[in-house]
Amino acid sequence: MRTTDSDSNSLYQNDADDSLLPPKVFANSSYSETDEVKVYKRRWYILLVYCCNGVLQNAIWNTWGPIEATARAVYKWDSYVIDLMAAWGSITFCITMIPFAWIMDVKGLRVTMLIAAGLQVVGSVLRFIPTGDAMTSTVLIHFGQIIVGFAGPVGMAAPPLLSSTWFPPYQRTTATAILAVAGYVGTAVSFLIGQAFVDDVKDSDIPKIDGNYPLNSTEEDKYQKQINSLLYFEAALQLFVFFVILAYYPSKPPRPPSVSAATGRVDFKAGAKKLFKNYNFILLATIYGASTGVYGGWCSVLYQNLSDYGISVDAKFAAWLGFIAVISGAFSGVLFSSFADHFSGHLKLFLIVFMGLSFFTTLLICYIFTGVIAFNNVLVYIMFGLSGFFLNGTIPFFFELGVEITYPVAEGITTGVITFFNNFLQSIFLVVPLGNLGTKWMLWTTVFTCAISTIFLLFVKEKYNRSSVDQRSRKSSYTPGVVNS
């Protein structure tokens, strides 16, 4: 299929420098000089496998929140442990972000995916090793969560790299959106499968004493078997995905899907220095981390948050709220990214509108939780759906604008830094007050970060360096043929 001007009929508000045009001037170009650009159908297989691995990474990470009451009863945990289980993902991300960014940019997608999937297999298996002792099991579960968390940078930071490597310009933002929301779908799925495998101890006749549910040996065996079944299920799926990646998962196609994909990137070390000197990019990354990081942290302890506000609901209600928020965000991210692909050059506008509406919906949730607006199940479902729709829907736009601003810095390090801000701020959000301050303040903090993020987005300067390279190449004598194969 040969491209035409209608494939990317767009207006770029800030064009790239002429120095970014072919010929390719960077030493680490992945392709030899060629005038042929090809789009391979196998790109959808690459996307699907990545999404499956991303879904599992987040589902395994969020195993414990949806079954909090039962897990606490079986393992004799307090709320501190549940908070820490959620926080490990963010903490470990901050540790492995730089190594994985280097692996992604230097070693390629195949090595990256094998390492990530392998870590997830090891971590998921550690969690169900039988010990006969709650304390020993708890230690193994912590180690399992930590090892799974080490793979986090691949699940969060790789989408722009994969979309740029395998997809043409007119599908890049949509591909990034699908890849980026995969992890969030995993979080949503975890709310459902947790409730499917494990009964909520709150629904039993067991009395609550000192914040926990004391179990006799029969009850403990029953709930332990249910939790083990969930852990076996997640580990088995992860092992299957690992073998799929091992069997076939190439790093890149034989021919690039675009001119910018064929252009080499700045050396990793030099690129990292450029990023931290680019204050426009740092502002964007900070806004992303403050908004999505705080919102994600709040959602991970939603069950506790509802209880702290005196709202008497069961774990299934909280699970469905989390599911709706994440799925609606995934839907909006993919839907509006398809618009962005056809109306390029307006990512900042999308971000400002979505973030402003996120502030409005989270403020209404705050009013409902505090009793200013009467609590109603249907209204709460709608508000959570809208908050996820707008806030989680911003994620692919943040990624794509970040890559555009920093091009020709490699996508791996760029999105690694963006998601580092997300996880670093989420770690502080979850760990600093761990178990001491309750969770009421978390909702107010979420509202505030949405408001302040909307304001600061006005100061981000749009630059579309990467897209301008592809657009200008079509207007120059460099006119590649695009072939579906």
Side-chain angles (χ1 to χ4, degrees):
M1 179 182 69
R2 186 170 295 277
T3 57
T4 65
D5 288 341
S6 63
D7 286 329
S8 57
N9 186 19
S10 58
L11 179 63
Y12 299 102
Q13 298 169 345
N14 294 281
D15 288 338
D17 296 335
D18 289 338
S19 62
L20 296 179
L21 289 171
K24 304 162 188 59
V25 296
F26 302 102
N28 62 336
S29 177
S30 300
Y31 297 97
S32 60
E33 294 290 334
T34 176
D35 63 354
E36 188 178 56
V37 171
K38 289 186 178 181
V39 181
Y40 295 86
K41 293 179 181 178
R42 75 190 76 165
R43 68 190 185 277
W44 298 110
Y45 164 84
I46 299 296
L47 181 145
L48 177 62
V49 174
Y50 175 89
C51 286
C52 290
N53 197 64
V55 166
L56 284 169
Q57 202 274 336
N58 273 49
I60 294 168
W61 162 73
N62 198 46
T63 296
W64 306 104
I67 60 170
E68 177 208 353
T70 305
R72 287 178 59 181
V74 171
Y75 296 107
K76 314 300 187 296
W77 293 344
D78 56 21
S79 59
Y80 171 94
V81 178
I82 295 295
D83 290 344
L84 188 56
M85 290 295 179
W88 278 132
S90 301
I91 296 169
T92 52
F93 181 99
C94 297
I95 296 171
T96 58
M97 184 278 290
I98 292 178
F100 263 119
W102 180 84
I103 292 169
M104 283 188 278
D105 289 336
V106 177
K107 298 299 181 181
L109 285 168
R110 176 173 174 80
V111 173
T112 301
M113 289 292 287
L114 281 171
I115 294 173
L119 287 171
Q120 290 167 215
V121 168
V122 173
S124 61
V125 169
L126 272 179
R127 302 186 309 166
F128 64 71
I129 294 176
T131 64
D133 174 66
M135 180 60 70
T136 307
S137 294
T138 298
V139 171
L140 288 175
I141 290 170
H142 276 297
F143 276 113
Q145 293 294 121
I146 290 169
I147 292 172
V148 170
F150 283 152
V154 179
M156 295 187 70
L161 172 62
L162 194 152
S163 64
S164 178
T165 302
W166 284 92
F167 286 82
Y170 55 88
Q171 291 179 342
R172 253 188 332 229
T173 306
T174 301
T176 296
I178 295 171
L179 295 162
V181 303
Y184 294 88
V185 171
T187 303
V189 169
S190 71
F191 286 108
L192 297 185
I193 62 175
Q195 298 301 314
F197 278 88
V198 182
D199 294 333
D200 188 358
V201 71
K202 290 179 68 175
D203 294 336
S204 69
D205 297 328
I206 302 170
K208 188 176 183 179
I209 301 175
D210 295 331
N212 213 334
Y213 295 85
L215 306 177
N216 60 40
S217 58
T218 302
E219 293 165 338
E220 188 171 316
D221 287 344
K222 169 193 169 184
Y223 289 120
Q224 181 70 73
K225 287 178 181 178
Q226 292 178 351
I227 292 174
N228 284 344
S229 295
L230 171 61
L231 301 181
Y232 295 152
F233 176 74
E234 291 176 341
L237 289 179
Q238 183 60 65
L239 185 62
F240 174 76
V241 171
F242 174 79
F243 282 119
V244 170
I245 296 170
L246 184 64
Y248 180 74
Y249 202 87
S251 288
K252 59 187 177 71
R255 290 284 182 267
S258 65
V259 176
S260 60
T263 304
R265 300 298 193 263
V266 174
D267 174 75
F268 182 84
K269 185 177 179 180
K273 290 181 179 179
K274 283 179 175 288
L275 288 183
F276 287 102
K277 291 179 180 179
N278 188 334
Y279 299 114
N280 190 41
F281 168 74
I282 294 299
L283 174 61
L284 182 73
T286 303
I287 295 169
Y288 171 78
S291 56
T292 61
V294 169
Y295 180 81
W298 171 57
C299 286
S300 70
V301 293
L302 187 56
Y303 187 27
Q304 292 171 255
N305 193 235
L306 286 162
S307 299
D308 284 352
Y309 275 101
I311 300 171
S312 181
V313 295
D314 58 20
K316 289 183 179 180
F317 180 81
W320 276 107
L321 288 181
F323 176 81
I324 290 171
V326 174
I327 288 298
S328 60
F331 174 77
S332 69
V334 175
L335 175 65
F336 287 100
S337 291
S338 64
F339 282 100
D341 270 327
H342 295 285
F343 299 98
S344 302
H346 304 287
L347 295 176
K348 178 180 172 179
L349 177 61
F350 276 106
L351 284 171
I352 292 172
V353 171
F354 272 44
M355 195 61 68
L357 292 171
S358 299
F359 162 69
F360 178 71
T361 53
T362 52
L363 181 63
L364 287 178
I365 291 171
C366 190
Y367 286 157
I368 294 170
F369 278 26
T370 55
V372 175
I373 299 175
F375 188 90
N376 178 278
N377 285 6
V378 175
L379 179 60
V380 173
Y381 278 129
I382 292 172
M383 286 299 101
F384 266 85
L386 290 175
S387 70
F389 184 89
F390 295 123
L391 204 147
N392 287 331
T394 65
I395 293 167
F397 300 130
F398 274 113
F399 282 176
E400 284 296 298
L401 185 56
V403 169
E404 293 285 356
I405 288 173
T406 60
Y407 180 89
V409 175
E411 288 84 354
I413 183 63
T414 298
T415 50
V417 171
I418 291 175
T419 50
F420 172 83
F421 276 83
N422 171 287
N423 285 272
F424 177 72
L425 293 173
Q426 190 176 106
S427 298
I428 296 174
F429 184 72
L430 289 170
V431 174
V432 170
L434 223 70
N436 297 320
L437 300 179
T439 62
K440 282 187 177 182
W441 64 276
M442 290 183 169
L443 175 53
W444 289 102
T445 305
T446 303
V447 175
F448 174 77
T449 53
C450 288
I452 202 71
S453 294
T454 305
I455 296 171
F456 277 98
L457 275 170
L458 298 172
F459 299 97
V460 173
K461 297 178 181 179
E462 287 180 289
K463 291 184 179 181
Y464 293 89
N465 295 327
R466 183 182 62 175
S467 295
S468 294
V469 169
D470 292 317
Q471 188 182 40
R472 289 187 183 187
S473 68
R474 288 191 293 273
K475 295 179 180 180
S476 69
S477 58
Y478 188 90
T479 54
V482 179
V483 182
N484 266 305
S485 62

